[in-house]
Amino acid sequence: MIDIDLRSRTPIYEQIKEQIMRYIQLGVFRPHEQLPSIRTLSRELNLNINTVKHAFMDLEAYGVIYSLPGKGSYVSENAFANAHIREKALEELRAVMLSCQSKGVTQEEMLALTAEIYARGDMPDD
């Protein structure tokens, strides 16, 4: 379910976090549904348990998930109601767009890419 790109410049814990958030948005994981355990994911992905734990801690700090001691982690009722997530995403987008602009990418190219991504509505292939 979660694919890790070991060649990506994106840290592994960020890849896990982003994919879990995307699966929640797509309805793969629903409110109050239990997520796979940290140990299970670390074993399936062949990763250090602390890497997966880092992703889960960030998701909990953002209010996307909650944990019940001894029972596991669950999707929050309003996983994306937290304004902090949107603000952080917009900051990241701004940085990427400024980088693209400085490299000659036109506004039309950015808008076309945006339309393509939103039209697709699925997980990115990269």
Side-chain angles (χ1 to χ4, degrees):
M1 180 179 284
I2 293 178
D3 295 318
I4 301 300
D5 182 357
L6 298 175
R7 294 173 289 161
S8 173
R9 290 185 175 194
T10 304
I12 292 171
Y13 79 94
E14 286 283 344
Q15 292 181 48
I16 295 167
K17 188 170 64 174
E18 294 294 324
Q19 288 183 51
I20 289 174
M21 286 194 299
R22 186 68 175 149
Y23 284 132
I24 292 169
Q25 280 186 318
L26 292 172
V28 174
F29 296 128
R30 300 195 177 280
H32 306 293
E33 183 177 337
Q34 186 172 11
L35 295 172
S37 74
I38 293 170
R39 287 186 193 279
T40 299
L41 276 179
S42 67
R43 193 172 32 252
E44 286 177 3
L45 299 172
N46 198 27
L47 296 173
N48 184 299
I49 196 166
N50 291 321
T51 302
V52 179
K53 188 175 184 177
H54 188 175
F56 275 59
M57 288 173 58
D58 280 2
L59 289 168
E60 190 162 5
Y62 292 160
V64 173
I65 66 171
Y66 63 93
S67 58
L68 298 174
K71 298 203 183 242
S73 298
Y74 299 81
V75 177
S76 295
E77 176 71 36
N78 297 311
F80 294 99
N82 186 333
H84 175 73
I85 294 172
R86 289 177 53 108
E87 289 170 14
K88 183 164 175 32
L90 289 171
E91 286 174 19
E92 292 169 358
L93 180 59
R94 180 179 177 77
V96 169
M97 290 178 73
L98 288 170
S99 174
C100 288
Q101 184 183 40
S102 70
K103 293 172 183 156
V105 177
T106 67
Q107 181 178 4
E108 292 77 21
E109 290 171 317
M110 283 193 245
L111 291 171
L113 180 59
T114 301
E116 175 188 325
I117 290 169
Y118 276 86
R120 216 172 50 196
D122 58 356
M123 293 293 287
D125 294 332
D126 52 354

